[in-house]
Amino acid sequence: MAAMPGSPSGINREQAFAVAQQEMEYRVDLFNKLAGTCFEKCMEKRLKEGDLNVGETSCIDRCVAKYWQVTGIIGQMLSAGGGGVAPR
Amino acid sequence: MAAMPGSPSGINREQAFAVAQQEMEYRVDLFNKLAGTCFEKCMEKRLKEGDLNVGETSCIDRCVAKYWQVTGIIGQMLSAGGGGVAPR
Amino acid sequence: MAAMPGSPSGINREQAFAVAQQEMEYRVDLFNKLAGTCFEKCMEKRLKEGDLNVGETSCIDRCVAKYWQVTGIIGQMLSAGGGGVAPR
Amino acid sequence: VEQMQMRDSLRMYNNLVEKCFSNCVDTFRRKTLDKDEDKCIRRCAEKFLKHTARVSMRFAELNSGAATPD
Amino acid sequence: VEQMQMRDSLRMYNNLVEKCFSNCVDTFRRKTLDKDEDKCIRRCAEKFLKHTARVSMRFAELNSGAATPD
Amino acid sequence: VEQMQMRDSLRMYNNLVEKCFSNCVDTFRRKTLDKDEDKCIRRCAEKFLKHTARVSMRFAELNSGAATPD
């Protein structure tokens, strides 16, 4: 999914558009899953107020960072051992 | 997402179609989530028969009504405080 | 969704393509749900190793077979009693 | 539009299978359903369909603005 | 692209409603929310939106490669 | 078709990450994985992939009508 510097002129606009669209769908899906998972992990069940408290806020930051790290590890595993599926 | 009376003639058919399609996708998604949630909340776990009993039936009716109400409350919050996302 | 032998010449390529695409989306969705469900049912929670053990492997085989059977039973119910929704 | 309805029906069917399978099947000593599992699946599917029909009806009422008192 | 953003907003809105409804509403003796449920829904939605905003911020940082030390 | 396969791969990848993260990560005192979490993630991913491969094989058999006796 990386940018393709110096791509051959043969590739046409439609294809480039389709690839960009998939890249975006992938990121949206990733974001939604990440947000949903960290919500489950970090939000206190008892809703005493509408604000995020300090504990929740730092939990979110770490949850996002760890999730990102897992994305990298599994991406590497897939591209190394794997079946060609190797998104960033 | 409301109907747009007297929309300028500049809007073309394709755009109108795309908007209608999104409106429909939104409603289908809403319906599916609502149905799934009320199924979880209202169906008795022990399946003694294939029919809905009286308790389940009235639970469904109230569940749908409350879900609809929540849709309204959150829609209002989003359109008031929020980032422009304000579907009905 | 069955193959349509001797379909009238009136059906055009675009429609045939759309039907084939839906068929495929349906199968992908079925596969994903099946795989997710059998993962939940069969994988031991404690991850002692990356391999599937014997119990897990035979659990998967049976889970897939039973899931397939359920697909058939419910498909029949829908096509028999039902509202016209009768995919294979 | 027709195609969207077809797609939604197929998705509903997949959801129905998944939900009833998850509710009713929990042992994997054989590769065919036993009698209780079979019965449970049929009840579950029947109930799911009746549930969906009821929700559809109420949902349509609300969409058309015909809210009724408690 | 604009249409995709619109679609994502609508989906987010549906997710928000589903999550807060599931968290806050558990009794079905009436067809309107009681006072506690109403309060719970509003807090939940507020929290969900703040949560989403925070995640967005961090996610954007990571996407742009600006990872910060612990 | 190629694009659909690509999309499905990406979706599978997202599902895999979500599932293994949910299973393996439960503490948020630091912003990097500790050793046990890292090990758990790798096992989980490996297992998930083997599971998917096995299901694919069986699924393909059933789709082609080659059901085998118990």
Side-chain angles (χ1 to χ4, degrees):
Chain A
M1 304 300 287
M4 228 185 268
S7 60
S9 59
I11 214 169
N12 63 33
R13 280 171 153 271
E14 270 182 46
Q15 280 174 309
F17 180 75
V19 169
Q21 196 181 17
Q22 283 202 331
E23 168 87 23
M24 186 159 157
E25 275 183 29
Y26 159 69
R27 291 208 179 274
V28 168
D29 186 29
L30 170 58
F31 177 82
N32 288 337
K33 286 191 161 57
L34 187 165
T37 303
C38 292
F39 193 83
E40 293 306 321
K41 299 271 187 193
C42 292
M43 294 300 107
E44 285 162 20
K45 286 299 159 203
R46 299 285 90 237
L47 285 164
K48 274 170 256 149
E49 40 174 10
D51 280 316
L52 303 173
N53 63 41
V54 182
E56 289 169 333
T57 304
S58 71
C59 180
I60 292 170
D61 292 352
R62 290 164 189 166
C63 183
V64 174
K66 282 189 168 187
Y67 200 97
W68 189 260
Q69 202 186 340
V70 171
T71 305
I73 292 172
I74 293 180
Q76 264 183 342
M77 287 176 68
L78 288 171
S79 63
V85 187
R88 186 24 235 277
Chain B
M1 302 302 287
M4 227 184 271
S7 61
S9 59
I11 213 168
N12 63 32
R13 277 168 155 274
E14 272 183 44
Q15 281 174 309
F17 180 74
V19 168
Q21 197 181 16
Q22 284 203 330
E23 167 87 22
M24 186 160 156
E25 277 184 28
Y26 159 70
R27 290 207 179 274
V28 168
D29 186 28
L30 171 59
F31 177 81
N32 288 337
K33 286 191 161 56
L34 187 165
T37 303
C38 291
F39 192 83
E40 292 307 322
K41 300 271 186 192
C42 291
M43 294 300 107
E44 285 163 20
K45 286 300 159 200
R46 300 286 87 236
L47 284 164
K48 274 169 256 149
E49 41 173 11
D51 280 319
L52 303 174
N53 63 40
V54 182
E56 290 169 333
T57 304
S58 72
C59 179
I60 292 170
D61 292 352
R62 289 164 190 166
C63 183
V64 174
K66 282 189 168 188
Y67 199 97
W68 189 260
Q69 202 186 340
V70 171
T71 305
I73 291 172
I74 293 181
Q76 264 184 343
M77 285 176 69
L78 288 170
S79 63
V85 186
R88 185 26 234 272
Chain C
M1 302 300 287
M4 227 183 269
S7 60
S9 58
I11 213 168
N12 62 32
R13 279 168 153 274
E14 271 183 47
Q15 281 174 308
F17 179 75
V19 168
Q21 197 181 18
Q22 284 203 329
E23 167 88 21
M24 186 160 154
E25 276 184 30
Y26 159 69
R27 290 208 178 273
V28 169
D29 187 28
L30 170 59
F31 177 82
N32 288 337
K33 287 192 161 55
L34 187 165
T37 303
C38 292
F39 192 84
E40 293 306 321
K41 299 271 186 191
C42 292
M43 294 300 107
E44 285 162 21
K45 286 300 160 202
R46 301 284 87 236
L47 285 164
K48 274 170 258 150
E49 40 173 12
D51 280 318
L52 303 174
N53 63 40
V54 182
E56 288 169 334
T57 304
S58 72
C59 180
I60 292 170
D61 292 353
R62 290 164 189 165
C63 183
V64 174
K66 281 189 169 186
Y67 200 96
W68 190 261
Q69 202 185 340
V70 171
T71 306
I73 291 172
I74 293 180
Q76 264 182 345
M77 285 175 69
L78 289 170
S79 63
V85 186
R88 182 30 231 270
Chain D
V1 170
E2 229 171 70
Q3 273 162 29
M4 285 176 70
Q5 283 175 338
M6 187 61 184
R7 199 189 56 193
D8 295 328
S9 302
L10 290 172
R11 214 176 275 167
M12 193 272 272
Y13 171 62
N14 273 330
N15 285 339
L16 167 49
V17 170
E18 185 191 31
K19 194 156 290 219
C20 291
F21 183 89
S22 293
N23 281 353
C24 293
V25 184
D26 263 319
T27 61
F28 299 95
R29 281 183 298 266
R30 295 193 305 149
K31 64 187 285 192
T32 49
L33 299 173
D34 67 31
K35 229 176 159 181
D36 283 346
E37 287 170 336
D38 182 277
K39 204 190 289 177
C40 180
I41 291 288
R42 291 173 194 277
R43 279 179 185 165
C44 177
E46 201 186 327
K47 209 154 188 166
F48 184 97
L49 292 170
K50 284 177 182 162
H51 173 266
T52 303
R54 184 91 192 176
V55 172
S56 289
M57 191 180 76
R58 291 303 178 206
F59 190 70
E61 283 173 14
L62 288 167
N63 260 300
S64 70
T68 51
D70 196 15
Chain E
V1 171
E2 229 171 71
Q3 273 161 31
M4 284 176 71
Q5 285 175 337
M6 186 62 184
R7 197 190 57 192
D8 295 328
S9 302
L10 290 172
R11 216 176 274 167
M12 195 272 274
Y13 171 63
N14 272 332
N15 285 340
L16 167 48
V17 169
E18 185 191 30
K19 194 156 291 218
C20 291
F21 183 88
S22 293
N23 282 352
C24 295
V25 184
D26 263 319
T27 60
F28 300 95
R29 280 183 299 267
R30 294 193 305 148
K31 64 187 284 191
T32 49
L33 299 172
D34 66 32
K35 230 178 159 179
D36 283 346
E37 288 169 335
D38 182 277
K39 205 190 288 176
C40 180
I41 290 288
R42 289 171 196 278
R43 279 179 184 165
C44 176
E46 201 186 326
K47 209 154 189 167
F48 184 97
L49 292 170
K50 285 177 182 162
H51 173 266
T52 303
R54 184 93 193 173
V55 172
S56 290
M57 192 180 74
R58 292 301 178 206
F59 188 70
E61 282 173 15
L62 289 167
N63 260 301
S64 70
T68 52
D70 195 13
Chain F
V1 170
E2 231 171 68
Q3 273 163 29
M4 284 175 73
Q5 284 175 337
M6 186 62 184
R7 199 190 55 192
D8 294 328
S9 302
L10 291 171
R11 214 176 276 167
M12 195 270 272
Y13 171 62
N14 272 331
N15 284 340
L16 167 49
V17 170
E18 185 190 30
K19 193 156 291 217
C20 292
F21 183 89
S22 293
N23 281 353
C24 294
V25 184
D26 263 320
T27 61
F28 299 95
R29 281 182 300 266
R30 294 193 306 149
K31 64 187 284 192
T32 50
L33 299 173
D34 67 30
K35 232 179 155 177
D36 283 346
E37 287 169 337
D38 182 276
K39 204 189 289 176
C40 181
I41 291 288
R42 289 171 196 277
R43 280 179 184 163
C44 176
E46 201 187 326
K47 209 155 190 166
F48 184 97
L49 292 169
K50 285 178 181 161
H51 173 266
T52 303
R54 184 93 192 174
V55 172
S56 289
M57 192 180 74
R58 292 302 179 207
F59 189 69
E61 283 172 16
L62 289 166
N63 260 300
S64 70
T68 53
D70 196 12

